[in-house]
Amino acid sequence: MAKLTQDELLAQFEEMTLIELSEFVKAFEEKFDVTAAAAAPVVVAGGAAGGAAAEAVEEKDEFDVILTGAGDKKIQVIKVVRELTSLGLKEAKDLVDGTPKPVLEKVNKEAADKAAEALKGAGASVEVK
């Protein structure tokens, strides 16, 4: 098997949807027994008794955008879901018909907010968790 360069691997990942990439990361983590989570910032607090305690400060950095209702403009919502996820027409329609369903999972705050605004603009009910 030929070894792929880093650029070739990145080109392959560019062609994947977010869902496909998420599934790949899960499979990678299981295969190599690793976690691809970002390192949390650590704050060190000094005590009066001379001891120092390390405390991990966690800030939520992954959000799920959940479609809770399609509203009156179902066709517009399906179009927005297709733009956000690269799903086909049937898959996007099934997702919209089967609400509540996650549209995007484990995305950053900015992407979650943009997706929620786009879906709300199309008339959908959205929840960001």
Side-chain angles (χ1 to χ4, degrees), residues 4 12 21 32 35-36 39 46 50-51 53 58 101 103-104 109 115 118 122 125:
L4 297 176
Q12 290 296 315
L21 190 56
F32 297 104
T35 303
E58 285 191 41
K101 290 271 188 166
V103 177
L104 297 175
K109 176 82 170 143
S125 306

Side-chain angles (χ1 to χ4, degrees), residues 90-109:
K90 181 181 181 336
E91 292 84 3
K93 182 183 180 301
D94 291 345
L95 188 145
V96 171
D97 287 341
T99 56
K101 290 271 188 166
V103 177
L104 297 175
E105 295 177 312
K106 298 183 180 178
V107 296
N108 64 28
K109 176 82 170 143

Side-chain angles (χ1 to χ4, degrees), residues 32 62 69 127:
F32 297 104
E62 291 182 341
E127 195 175 291

Side-chain angles (χ1 to χ4, degrees), residues 32-104:
F32 297 104
D33 195 28
V34 295
T35 303
V42 177
V43 176
V44 177
E55 179 182 312
V57 177
E58 285 191 41
E59 183 178 320
K60 187 169 181 173
D61 61 351
E62 291 182 341
F63 297 87
D64 295 340
V65 179
I66 300 170
L67 181 66
T68 56
D72 296 335
K73 300 176 183 176
K74 189 168 143 182
I75 293 172
Q76 295 299 334
V77 174
I78 292 170
K79 287 180 181 179
V80 172
V81 167
R82 288 189 68 203
E83 291 171 9
L84 293 171
T85 62
S86 301
L87 290 175
L89 181 59
K90 181 181 181 336
E91 292 84 3
K93 182 183 180 301
D94 291 345
L95 188 145
V96 171
D97 287 341
T99 56
K101 290 271 188 166
V103 177
L104 297 175

